[in-house]
């Protein structure tokens, strides 16, 4: 009996290892997009070099714009209020080039809290502290441009960004000249002093296992015992972050029809375990139903406060999997004016760090981070 039990556990560990190697994660289907993306692709805030703090620069410019023209804050901003997190990040990315130049990488670190935790899930461990983050970002830039004095073009494009103030998230793409490559999602949270205190960044997996993800998850959770469905009080939130919280913290998969009520007919759903996107409610519903089986616990962790779009972090715990093997991820949602979800992007971390194929791709084509880049602009919205 003990031998059989030990063998069963060993087999589960092997299967789960395969799941991690293929970067399997629970595919989530509830995510909102905003109607406009005016801030993406253009500089949203121009920092004043004479100002000692980048925060002062952002705030001063906002005050000047407000008093002179009454124009709203940049980005997906339905309420017209100043969005600190979104504005700070657009300034750092578009103006300071924090992910594409060495000088910009230092600017990013300067905007961080002393106790910053940066979860770059490509790396084995989180990077902690301003100095360590500065070194990490500078090393990544140097790797992309070809080292000190390198001349390779290493662009960084924001495809979508949530309209968060205390925190926000953005979908991004690495670019180089006329090519675009690696995609991913980043979640950033500010502290009470408007300093960056937490970051989670997840690049897309190079190998996308597709339906193998579902089969592996079912194998790992084969002996799971069904649990009672959670009880919830039906509600109809309209703000993106409130829609996400309702679906994942309240409904929790208890009723797929209740979840589907929040999807627009035009829904586009991107799960990075798959090569192709899902389009329309019928495809999304089948997808959700396929992943509804016992043994999976989806736990949300951090949400931004976005209204037209929202980003949040999560982890998936599989019953029967080895302890400490939860899979981390990020989701990005957009909603329309009716509060219906029109766009979803889910990205899971790799179970092996750095992911072998991801590492090879960055060595082979460091500027774009993938083996086969595509023509720039050929993936609408970074799809």
């Amino acid at each position: 009996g003990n031998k059989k039990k030990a063998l069963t556990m060993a087999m589960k560990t092997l299967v789960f290892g395969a799941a991690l190697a293929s970067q399997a994660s629970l595919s989530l289907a509830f995510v909102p997009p905003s109607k406009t993306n005016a801030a993406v692709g253009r500089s949203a805030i121009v920092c004043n070099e004479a100002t000692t703090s980048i925060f002062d620069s952002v705030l001063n410019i906002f005050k000047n714009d407000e008093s002179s023209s009454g124009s709203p804050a940049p980005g997906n901003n339905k309420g017209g209020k100043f969005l600190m997190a979104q504005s700070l990040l657009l300034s750092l990315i578009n103006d300071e080039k924090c992910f594409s130049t060495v000088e910009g990488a230092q600017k990013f670190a300067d905007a961080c809290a002393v106790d910053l935790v940066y979860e770059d899930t490509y790396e084995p461990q989180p990077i902690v502290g301003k100095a360590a983050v500065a070194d990490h970002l500078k090393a990544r830039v140097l790797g992309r441009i070809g080292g000190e004095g390198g001349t390779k073009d290493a662009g960084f494009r924001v495809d979508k960004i949530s309209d968060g103030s205390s925190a926000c998230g953005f979908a991004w793409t690495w670019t180089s000249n006329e090519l675009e490559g690696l995609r991913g999602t980043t979640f950033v949270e500010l502290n009470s002093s408007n300093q960056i205190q937490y970051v989670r960044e997840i690049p897309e997996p190079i190998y996308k296992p597709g339906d193998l993800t579902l089969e592996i998850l079912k194998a790992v959770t084969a002996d799971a015992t069904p649990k009672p469905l959670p009880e919830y009080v039906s509600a109809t939130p309209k703000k993106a972050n409130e829609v996400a919280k309702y679906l994942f913290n309240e409904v929790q998969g208890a009723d797929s029809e209740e979840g589907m009520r929040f999807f627009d007919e035009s829904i586009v759903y991107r799960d990075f375990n798959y090569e192709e996107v899902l389009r329309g409610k019928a495809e999304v519903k089948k997808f959700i139903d396929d992943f509804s089986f016992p043994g999976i616990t989806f736990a949300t962790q951090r949400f931004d406060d976005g209204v037209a779009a929202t980003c949040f972090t999560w982890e998936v715990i599989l019953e029967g999997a080895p302890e400490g093997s939860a899979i981390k991820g990020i989701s990005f949602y957009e909603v329309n004016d009716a509060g219906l979800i029109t766009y979803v992007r889910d990205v899971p971390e790799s179970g092996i760090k750095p992911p072998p194929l991801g590492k090879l791709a960055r060595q082979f084509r460091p500027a774009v981070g993938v083996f086969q880049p595509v023509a720039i602009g050929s993936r609408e919205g970074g799809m």
Side-chain angles (χ1 to χ4, degrees):
N2 289 336
K3 286 184 178 179
K4 183 178 180 181
K5 188 174 182 180
L7 180 60
T8 300
M9 190 61 198
M11 288 299 294
K12 285 184 176 180
T13 301
L14 288 172
V15 172
F16 188 72
L20 293 178
S22 66
Q23 308 187 43
S25 78
L26 175 65
S27 297
L28 312 172
F30 305 114
V31 196
S34 55
K35 288 184 68 177
T36 60
N37 236 350
V40 177
R42 65 175 175 83
S43 175
I45 301 290
V46 180
C47 290
N48 181 354
E49 295 180 359
T51 308
T52 57
S53 166
I54 192 168
F55 308 114
D56 291 339
S57 176
V58 171
L59 290 170
N60 286 341
I61 290 169
F62 171 71
K63 290 174 182 177
N64 291 338
D65 287 347
E66 187 180 50
S67 61
S68 62
S69 64
S71 59
N76 304 325
N77 184 8
K78 285 185 175 180
K81 71 173 184 177
F82 180 56
L83 306 173
M84 185 66 210
Q86 185 198 71
S87 298
L88 174 61
L89 285 166
L90 286 172
S91 177
L92 287 169
I93 296 168
N94 292 341
D95 299 321
E96 304 296 348
K97 310 295 182 186
C98 66
F99 296 127
S100 51
T101 68
V102 172
E103 297 77 13
Q106 184 60 55
K107 289 286 189 180
F108 185 96
D110 291 342
C112 294
V114 174
D115 57 351
L116 162 73
V117 175
Y118 195 120
E119 283 188 321
D120 180 348
T121 62
Y122 176 84
E123 302 294 337
Q125 299 294 332
I127 301 101
V128 180
K130 295 175 66 167
V133 168
D135 290 344
H136 172 66
L137 294 179
K138 289 175 184 177
R140 188 165 67 187
V141 169
L142 289 173
R144 291 188 66 201
I145 66 175
E148 294 284 354
T151 57
K152 291 181 180 177
D153 179 59
F156 186 95
R157 186 183 73 213
V158 175
D159 296 312
K160 294 177 180 289
I161 187 166
S162 66
D163 53 338
S165 185
S166 63
C168 84
F170 54 95
W172 49 264
T173 300
W174 283 10
T175 65
S176 181
N177 296 316
E178 299 304 313
L179 298 174
E180 61 179 70
L182 189 69
R183 296 163 293 182
T185 308
T186 300
F187 175 90
V188 178
E189 183 179 76
L190 307 184
N191 63 16
S192 58
S193 299
N194 290 326
Q195 297 172 315
I196 298 170
Q197 69 174 4
Y198 173 79
V199 178
R200 177 178 290 180
E201 174 184 288
I202 306 184
E204 68 176 306
I206 301 300
Y207 169 64
K208 297 174 175 59
D211 286 338
L212 179 61
T213 303
L214 180 61
E215 300 308 314
I216 292 174
L217 291 176
K218 285 183 176 180
V220 173
T221 60
D223 296 331
T225 303
K227 296 179 180 179
L229 294 175
E231 296 182 359
Y232 65 93
V233 177
S234 182
T236 308
K238 300 292 186 181
K239 296 179 180 178
N241 77 89
E242 294 176 358
V243 170
K245 289 174 183 175
Y246 174 68
L247 291 174
F248 290 108
N249 293 347
E250 302 296 330
V251 180
Q252 299 182 63
D255 183 350
S256 64
E257 292 298 333
E258 175 67 7
M260 291 309 301
R261 185 166 67 87
F262 287 86
F263 285 92
D264 189 76
E265 292 291 344
S266 65
I267 176 67
V268 175
Y269 182 89
R270 155 63 73 189
D271 184 303
F272 273 120
N273 281 315
Y274 291 81
E275 290 287 352
E276 302 298 327
V277 299
L278 301 172
R279 297 180 183 273
K281 291 181 70 171
E283 288 189 9
V284 170
K285 186 178 188 308
K286 181 181 183 303
F287 189 64
I288 295 171
D289 290 343
D290 285 347
F291 279 87
S292 298
F293 51 85
I296 297 178
T297 299
F298 175 76
T300 58
Q301 295 174 310
R302 300 172 189 249
F303 287 87
D304 70 14
D305 52 349
V307 175
T310 190
C311 191
F312 63 97
T313 66
W314 45 266
E315 67 177 6
V316 169
I317 303 166
L318 302 179
E319 187 177 326
E323 187 176 350
S325 53
I327 304 165
K328 296 177 181 177
I330 303 176
S331 287
F332 185 96
Y333 292 29
E334 286 181 329
V335 298
N336 59 21
D337 289 339
L340 298 178
I341 301 163
T342 56
Y343 176 80
V344 173
R345 175 187 272 198
D346 293 337
V347 58
E349 69 173 344
S350 170
I352 301 174
K353 300 176 183 179
L357 288 178
K359 184 177 181 180
L360 283 174
R362 294 191 190 196
Q363 292 172 341
F364 182 64
R365 288 183 178 271
V368 290
V370 296
F371 293 112
Q372 295 180 309
V374 299
I376 199 161
S378 61
R379 299 182 297 203
E380 182 183 356
M383 261 352 141

